[in-house]
Structure formats: C-alpha cells, structure tokens
Amino acid sequence: SIGRRGFIEVLKRRVIDKIVGEIRLAEEAELVERLLEGIAKNEKVSYGLEDVKRAKEYGAIEILLISDDFLLEEREKWDIDGFMEEVERTGGKVLILSSEFEPGEIVSKLGGICAILRFKVE
C-alpha cells in the first residue's frame, strides 16, 4: 500500500509507462522466440513477404509480426495497411516491432514480415 501521495509520485515519474514498455518488449521477445522455434522445427510459421501473403490468403495468420522499418518502406510500394487490416478482420493479431530492439531486429533480418500461423500452409 503506497497511499495517494505515493501513487501520484509513481505517475509523475512515468514508472507505469516504463513497466508497460518492458512488458511489451518481453511479449515481443517471447513471440519471436516462438517464431524461431517454429522455423527450426518446420512448424506453423511463415516469413518473407510472399510466404506471409500466401498464409493470409488462407486466413491462416494468428499473429503477424512486422518490423517498423519494413512497414515504412513497404507503405511506399503497396497497401500494407489494408493487408494488416485484413489480417485483423480474419481474427489475427498484428504487432509492429521496433527494429531498435532485438525482437524487431530479428524480424527485419527474416524479411521484415513474419507470421505465427493457426495451421500450416504449403
């Protein structure tokens, strides 16, 4: 129990923002680890633009991982925002990862776009 003054002090120091940021980074790291395990075991994952587009056509994307630098680059070429909206409409989750941190850097090295799938797509 910290009391009202302690609570206000925590808010002023933006401690909660830092905690939320760390939780999000931990979630991203966990998902990228799951992606890498799926790649290693040839399981339900997809990476690279063409493979991820194919997975979306089947409605197989559970979680779409996109690095921020890839997103900025691709917005100039095609309607990637519409692509992400379609993934969400089919029940998928879209996560944009900062390439400044390791999970986003890994996704960038895998083509900038990856997906954890509901089912395997050949």
Side-chain angles (χ1 to χ4, degrees), residues 3 25 31 44 50 54:
L25 189 57
L31 289 171
K44 303 179 294 186
E50 295 308 313
R54 188 175 326 109

Side-chain angles (χ1 to χ4, degrees), residues 10 28-29 35 52 59 69 71 73 87 98 108 111 114 121:
V10 166
E28 290 174 0
L35 174 76
V52 173
D69 54 353
L71 180 61
E73 184 179 311
V87 168
S98 171
S108 288
C114 305
V121 175

Side-chain angles (χ1 to χ4, degrees), residues 3-17:
R4 186 180 181 117
R5 293 183 76 109
F7 180 72
I8 291 171
E9 185 64 29
V10 166
L11 290 177
K12 283 183 184 176
R13 292 185 185 193
R14 305 194 63 91
V15 172
I16 293 174
D17 291 342

Side-chain angles (χ1 to χ4, degrees), residues 2-117:
I2 59 173
R4 186 180 181 117
R5 293 183 76 109
F7 180 72
I8 291 171
E9 185 64 29
V10 166
L11 290 177
K12 283 183 184 176
R13 292 185 185 193
R14 305 194 63 91
V15 172
I16 293 174
D17 291 342
K18 291 177 187 175
I19 292 169
V20 169
E22 289 176 14
I23 290 171
R24 179 179 165 106
L25 189 57
E27 177 186 320
E28 290 174 0
E30 186 178 309
L31 289 171
V32 170
E33 182 64 33
R34 190 170 147 194
L35 174 76
L36 293 174
E37 285 177 17
I39 291 170
K41 295 177 180 178
N42 195 25
E43 291 179 344
K44 303 179 294 186
V45 297
S46 184
Y47 59 96
L49 186 55
E50 295 308 313
D51 286 345
V52 173
K53 279 185 173 182
R54 188 175 326 109
K56 185 199 70 76
E57 289 173 13
Y58 288 99
I61 297 177
E62 180 181 341
I63 302 169
L64 180 67
L65 305 169
I66 300 178
S67 67
D68 59 352
D69 54 353
F70 177 83
L71 180 61
L72 290 173
E73 184 179 311
E74 293 299 309
R75 277 189 171 145
E76 312 247 336
K77 299 177 184 174
W78 61 288
D79 184 19
I80 191 166
D81 293 303
F83 181 87
M84 293 186 299
E85 288 171 8
E86 181 65 26
V87 168
E88 288 178 332
R89 270 195 298 274
T90 59
K93 180 179 178 181
V94 176
L95 267 156
I96 300 169
L97 290 77
S98 171
S99 54
E100 291 183 27
F101 298 103
E102 187 177 4
E105 186 180 333
I106 291 169
V107 169
S108 288
K109 289 178 181 176
L110 291 170
I113 187 167
C114 305
I116 297 171
L117 307 177

